[in-house]
Amino acid sequence: MRQNTVRRRALLDAAIDVLADQGARNLTFRAVDARAGVPTGTTSNYFANRDALLAQGAAHVHVRLAPGEDELAEMGATAPTREVVREAMHRLFRRVSQDRAGYLALLELRLEATRRPELRQVLMDTAGQNIHENIRFHVAGGYPGGRPAVTSLYLAMSGLITEHLTLPEAWEWTTFSALIDQLVEQIVPE
Amino acid sequence: MRQNTVRRRALLDAAIDVLADQGARNLTFRAVDARAGVPTGTTSNYFANRDALLAQGAAHVHVRLAPGEDELAEMGATAPTREVVREAMHRLFRRVSQDRAGYLALLELRLEATRRPELRQVLMDTAGQNIHENIRFHVAGGYPGGRPAVTSLYLAMSGLITEHLTLPEAWEWTTFSALIDQLVEQIVPE
């Protein structure tokens, strides 16, 4: 397998776009080659098979959607208050809004895994690990509400992001920003 | 268009199974005929086009997943307490667990609508209407917490159901039943 990391990352970005735009069923090496604008056969030089591409694509989405190192450093240097959690949720929402394809690709992968059990381990190593890392960060950091707060907030933000990406018209009587504030106030103690 | 309602319902059930098992892209009249075990061409006698099938399929899922009339009557005859809301959430979870294909089909339709804007109205007339009806029921019924409680609970239950259907392994350290209790306690005032 080729190791050029810039090229590999470009192919993963293309794979995420294909997943989001055409669904997991249409994710082929050839579709990724076309999307990335590289010669046919390139993707097959970088990934052993389609499941390896899906696994690395999913891991790459989590990297794309994760908070930046400076954001984490700033959080680490601040007292663990509800306000810090609230700001982190708004930043997560902004990152997802600016990277629709990334989150939609993850949803595609989740649905594909219901049909192809061999993908479940891929999901556990990516989305599952992300859930556990979220919980660990909140609890170890001493943020208010501990495990019950972070798990409920994770579930509610997942629901909110899915609504935002797929059916924002149903929520036009409010704003997603107001909904995020509301969730944090209800779920995270002061 | 044919009107036999039993046959039409069987075709819609088959369409939902195709959506859940094979994704929106693979929902064709022929696939529905095959799934329903009817002669090729039957589905096309009942639905004007593929979008009509998707629209009626989505509406049918909401009927399948809605509380029964006896459940609603019982709720209407009881004081609107947090405990009643809690029980309703557990019943919703049980209905979804017993009808995985229905909820997965709705998620497929949501993703397909991100790619095909002409499906957005279908979603608004089904999922969007369901959201508004949930809010109206909670507020008009005088359940605790009003609109902020029902909207947050809707978002969190959507996230929880998606986790349950697509990645239950990530939540094996707890139970979905305990998570539902926790959400209601945090979000709905006593």
Side-chain angles (χ1 to χ4, degrees), chain A residues 6-188:
Chain A
V6 174
R7 171 60 65 92
R8 178 181 293 272
R9 203 179 310 129
L11 294 173
L12 289 173
D13 286 332
I16 289 162
D17 286 341
V18 171
L19 271 173
D21 282 357
Q22 300 174 45
R25 292 270 155 141
N26 295 302
L27 184 77
T28 59
F29 282 172
R30 188 175 285 264
V32 175
D33 288 337
R35 187 71 178 220
V38 297
T40 300
T42 305
T43 304
S44 66
N45 287 329
Y46 280 80
F47 303 94
N49 52 47
R50 197 169 158 277
D51 281 358
L53 177 62
L54 280 168
Q56 292 182 44
H60 187 54
V61 172
H62 284 289
V63 171
R64 274 177 27 174
L65 290 177
E69 287 195 13
D70 44 343
E71 182 179 333
L72 289 175
E74 195 189 317
M75 283 183 81
T78 319
T81 61
R82 176 162 83 172
E83 177 60 18
V84 172
V85 175
R86 193 182 74 81
E87 283 169 15
M89 293 304 107
H90 281 284
R91 280 196 299 262
L92 165 64
F93 182 76
R94 277 199 295 275
R95 286 196 304 275
V96 170
S97 302
Q98 287 161 7
D99 189 2
R100 292 176 56 87
Y103 202 89
L104 290 172
L106 287 184
L107 284 174
E108 277 293 339
L109 192 66
R110 279 176 176 260
L111 289 176
E112 182 71 356
T114 66
R115 300 165 201 139
R116 293 187 45 221
E118 63 270 32
L119 279 180
R120 300 300 278 263
Q121 194 53 51
V122 169
L123 270 188
M124 274 307 287
D125 292 342
T126 52
Q129 196 182 27
N130 180 56
I131 292 165
H132 294 151
E133 174 54 23
N134 265 274
I135 296 172
R136 195 204 59 73
F137 184 88
H138 190 101
V139 173
Y143 290 95
R147 187 176 283 219
V150 66
T151 50
S152 292
L153 201 53
Y154 177 91
L155 296 171
M157 286 296 295
S158 300
L160 180 144
I161 289 168
T162 301
E163 293 294 329
H164 169 61
L165 294 181
T166 63
L167 194 56
E169 302 95 320
W171 302 87
E172 275 175 354
W173 51 274
T174 181
T175 65
F176 286 102
S177 180
L179 288 169
I180 292 168
D181 283 345
Q182 172 187 301
L183 286 171
V184 172
E185 269 168 46
Q186 289 162 330
I187 292 172
V188 184

Side-chain angles (χ1 to χ4, degrees), chain B residues 31-96:
Chain B
V32 175
D33 289 337
R35 187 74 178 220
V38 298
T40 301
T42 305
T43 303
S44 66
N45 288 329
Y46 280 80
F47 303 93
N49 52 49
R50 197 169 158 278
D51 281 359
L53 177 61
L54 280 168
Q56 291 181 45
H60 187 54
V61 172
H62 285 288
V63 171
R64 273 177 27 174
L65 291 177
E69 286 195 12
D70 45 342
E71 181 179 333
L72 289 175
E74 196 188 317
M75 283 183 80
T78 318
T81 60
R82 176 162 82 171
E83 178 59 19
V84 172
V85 175
R86 194 182 73 82
E87 283 169 13
M89 293 304 106
H90 282 284
R91 281 196 298 263
L92 165 64
F93 182 76
R94 278 199 295 275
R95 289 197 302 276
V96 170

Side-chain angles (χ1 to χ4, degrees), chain B residues 158-169:
Chain B
S158 301
L160 180 143
I161 290 166
T162 301
E163 293 295 328
H164 169 60
L165 294 181
T166 63
L167 194 56
E169 301 94 322

